[in-house]
């Protein structure tokens, strides 16, 4: 995977001799939560800053590209405009949002930046050291289909391409992999950091090695569990996915969320774990309610004796202690997924307890990934205590399962 170190060598050797070289396209991941026109979690924006500042330090113009959500056409509700203010505050400079990019399809490659972009046409184009943000790339027909004409259209806007959107690197889209066919391409600081940290979980983990998995569905984690069962000492399982395992063992789970079509798989995983001596730590008690809402009446039940009409929405107090105790002494921990319905208090308590227990492990290599898990670490104020906070979400899981991603392959 070619990195910014390679870019620096190429820049010094070649690009400084090219008077027309000025614009670098950077694919970032600004798929951030937005409420009432404001970004509510800027973790991914902050993660992009080292790459942007590195390029600005070379007096280059930086053109940022990102998607946001899953818009149907050019939906203003999915505009990246709220991201602009956050970027300006961090970079201490104006960031221009390019609301309309007119892509000229087909070859030849771009000879100059003018003629295709409103921002690039203003005052003769972008000045060295300036920053522009293209509007949501998913507003463009052909983005998700990896249309090559669109990829060439992107390429006309810049002289080199940097992929720094690890959270999108598992997508073979025009702004992720397609553009690499038409410009010299490199991995940014975030991409390099993510690949290094997650590779350590695959190749060189220190023992004892534990995974903490939560969320709604066993099916989302099948590949991960299958691959890592022989590598880990134990797996803590919380969230709604735990109820599929509990029911598979004969437990009564009331109205809790269960994947009935995965009960056989859960039994198989339990048998495999037992046979190879890997501990599957499941909740022994749960906090349950009749409905998911703040202030709902709650009861604590044994995890395998939940009455009809009640659903488990968080791990209970005994499970919180058991999970934290199981992780004591771990040298490597990967955490992905909440222990309950984290977004609705009081069902966030288990996630916060487990997150704190991982963050306080002394000398351990700890990685947290997934939106709710990262949000919990931020809420606790312990993000800095983790060895690595992954921005990848689904991309992190896919990388751990396969050891590579389409975006990584495109840079190799």
């Amino acid at each position: 995977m070619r990195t910014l170190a390679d870019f620096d060598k190429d820049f010094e050797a070649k690009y400084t001799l090219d008077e027309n070289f000025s614009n670098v396209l950077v694919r970032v991941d600004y798929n951030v939560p937005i409420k009432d026109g404001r970004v509510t979690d800027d973790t991914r924006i902050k993660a992009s800053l080292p790459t942007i500042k590195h390029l600005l330090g070379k007096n280059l113009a930086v053109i940022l590209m990102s998607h946001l959500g899953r818009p149907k056409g050019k939906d203003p509700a999915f505009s990246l405009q709220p991201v602009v203010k956050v970027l300006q505050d961090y970079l201490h400079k104006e960031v221009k949002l390019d609301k309309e990019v007119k892509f000229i399809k087909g070859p030849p490659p771009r000879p100059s930046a003018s003629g295709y972009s409103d921002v690039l046409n203003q005052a003769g184009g972008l000045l060295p050291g300036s920053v522009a943000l293209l509007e949501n790339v998913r507003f463009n027909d052909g983005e998700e289909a990896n249309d090559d004409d669109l990829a060439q259209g992107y390429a006309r806007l810049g002289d080199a391409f940097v992929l720094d959107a690890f959270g999108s690197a598992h997508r073979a889209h025009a702004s992720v992999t397609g553009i690499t066919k038409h410009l010299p391409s490199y991995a940014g600081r975030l991409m390099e950091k993510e690949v290094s940290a997650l590779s350590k979980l695959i190749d060189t983990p220190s023992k004892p090695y534990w995974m903490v998995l939560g969320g709604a569905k066993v099916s989302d984690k099948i590949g991960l569990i299958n691959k890592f069962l022989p590598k880990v000492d134990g797996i803590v399982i919380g969230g709604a996915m735990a109820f599929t395992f509990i029911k598979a063992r004969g437990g009564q789970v009331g109205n809790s969320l269960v994947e009935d079509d995965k009960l056989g798989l859960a039994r198989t995983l339990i048998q495999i774990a037992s046979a190879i001596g890997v501990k599957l730590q499941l909740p022994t008690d749960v906090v349950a309610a009749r409905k998911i809402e703040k202030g709902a009446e709650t009861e604590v039940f044994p995890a395998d004796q939940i009455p009809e009409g009640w659903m488990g929405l968080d791990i209970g107090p005994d499970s919180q202690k058991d999970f934290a105790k199981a992780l004591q002494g771990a040298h490597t921990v990967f955490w992905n997924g909440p222990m309950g319905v984290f977004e609705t208090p009081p069902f966030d308590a288990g996630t916060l307890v487990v997150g704190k227990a991982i963050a306080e492990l002394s000398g351990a290599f700890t990685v947290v990934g997934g939106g709710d898990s990262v949000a919990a670490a931020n809420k606790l104020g312990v993000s800095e205590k983790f060895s690595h906070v992954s921005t990848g979400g689904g991309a992190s899981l896919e990388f751990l399962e396969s050891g590579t991603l389409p975006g990584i392959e495109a840079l190799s």
Side-chain angles (χ1 to χ4, degrees):
M1 186 173 73
R2 288 167 57 76
T3 67
L4 285 185
D6 298 294
F7 174 86
D8 290 346
K9 292 176 185 177
D10 292 346
F11 181 80
E12 297 299 330
K14 175 184 176 184
Y15 299 137
T16 51
L17 302 177
D18 183 355
E19 294 180 359
N20 293 319
F21 184 88
S22 59
N23 299 336
V24 179
L25 281 159
V26 183
R27 178 57 159 94
V28 289
D29 182 7
Y30 291 162
N31 187 30
V32 296
I34 294 173
K35 184 177 181 180
D36 299 327
R38 296 176 62 87
V39 175
T40 58
D41 184 345
D42 63 5
T43 301
R44 290 182 172 183
I45 299 174
K46 287 192 288 187
S48 71
L49 297 178
T51 292
I52 296 171
K53 291 179 178 179
H54 180 85
L55 297 170
L56 292 176
K58 294 185 173 297
N59 206 30
L60 296 166
V62 176
I63 303 173
L64 303 170
M65 318 159 66
S66 179
H67 77 283
L68 175 64
R70 296 184 177 277
K72 302 296 183 184
K74 297 181 179 181
D75 185 344
F78 293 91
S79 172
L80 286 166
Q81 181 66 55
V83 172
V84 171
K85 184 180 186 305
V86 181
L87 273 174
Q88 289 181 153
D89 288 345
Y90 281 124
L91 295 174
H92 305 293
K93 65 170 59 196
E94 180 186 10
V95 175
K96 298 177 180 179
L97 180 68
D98 202 328
K99 295 183 178 180
E100 186 66 32
V101 181
K102 298 178 176 64
F103 296 108
I104 307 300
K105 295 186 175 182
R110 161 208 176 272
S112 69
S114 62
Y116 305 102
S117 158
D118 290 346
V119 165
L120 293 178
N121 277 326
Q122 292 173 12
L126 286 173
L127 296 174
S130 59
V131 180
L133 173 63
L134 300 188
E135 186 53 283
N136 193 336
V137 293
R138 289 187 177 173
F139 286 1
N140 303 321
D141 293 337
E143 165 63 21
E144 295 179 75
N146 200 9
D147 180 78
D148 192 59
D149 284 340
L150 178 60
Q152 290 188 60
Y154 290 139
R156 288 193 179 88
L157 302 178
D159 304 279
F161 173 67
V162 175
L163 177 58
D164 210 27
F166 183 79
S168 300
H170 60 321
R171 308 294 190 194
H173 292 174
S175 67
V176 177
T177 60
I179 190 174
T180 64
K181 299 175 183 178
H182 306 290
L183 285 177
S185 300
Y186 310 85
R189 291 276 189 256
L190 176 62
M191 280 286 295
E192 194 174 359
K193 184 179 178 182
E194 291 273 13
V195 170
S196 175
L198 296 177
S199 293
K200 188 173 180 179
L201 293 175
I202 300 172
D203 301 324
T204 57
S206 297
K207 296 265 191 169
Y209 184 5
W210 279 77
M211 284 194 155
V212 179
L213 302 178
K217 297 180 179 180
V218 178
S219 55
D220 292 341
K221 308 290 196 302
I222 289 173
L224 193 68
I225 295 172
N226 276 330
K227 178 169 181 176
F228 281 88
L229 263 179
K231 296 176 180 285
V232 300
D233 297 283
I235 302 177
V236 167
I237 299 177
M241 64 181 287
F243 297 114
T244 299
F245 286 91
I246 292 168
K247 186 172 181 178
R249 295 197 309 188
Q252 304 299 311
V253 297
N255 288 33
S256 304
L257 182 65
V258 170
E259 290 181 279
D260 286 315
D261 62 333
K262 296 296 185 291
L263 291 173
L265 171 67
R267 293 188 192 98
T268 299
L269 292 173
I270 290 169
Q271 292 167 1
I272 293 173
S274 177
I276 63 177
V278 173
K279 186 169 185 180
L280 291 184
Q281 184 90 23
L282 293 167
T284 56
D285 64 340
V286 297
V287 177
R290 295 183 184 275
K291 51 188 174 182
I292 304 173
E293 67 178 26
K294 191 173 182 179
E297 177 192 2
T298 63
E299 291 281 352
V300 175
F301 297 107
D304 58 356
Q305 297 176 39
I306 304 172
E308 288 298 320
W310 292 80
M311 50 186 149
L313 299 176
D314 194 12
I315 58 173
D318 289 343
S319 298
Q320 293 173 19
K321 295 174 186 175
D322 292 344
F323 283 14
K325 185 177 180 180
L327 295 170
Q328 288 179 5
H331 289 175
T332 304
V333 178
F334 173 66
W335 173 28
N336 179 278
M339 299 294 99
V341 185
F342 174 77
E343 64 273 17
T344 307
F347 310 116
D348 57 348
T351 302
L352 295 174
V353 168
V354 170
K356 185 177 181 182
I358 299 170
E360 292 180 347
L361 290 172
S362 178
F365 180 70
T366 54
V367 177
V368 56
D372 285 334
S373 309
V374 174
N378 290 337
K379 186 174 182 178
L380 286 164
V382 296
S383 295
E384 298 300 322
K385 291 188 176 182
F386 285 89
S387 305
H388 180 66
V389 177
S390 178
T391 62
S396 300
L397 298 183
E398 190 168 320
F399 179 83
L400 289 173
E401 291 172 23
S402 65
T404 189
L405 296 171
I408 294 172
E409 293 300 303
L411 299 174
S412 298

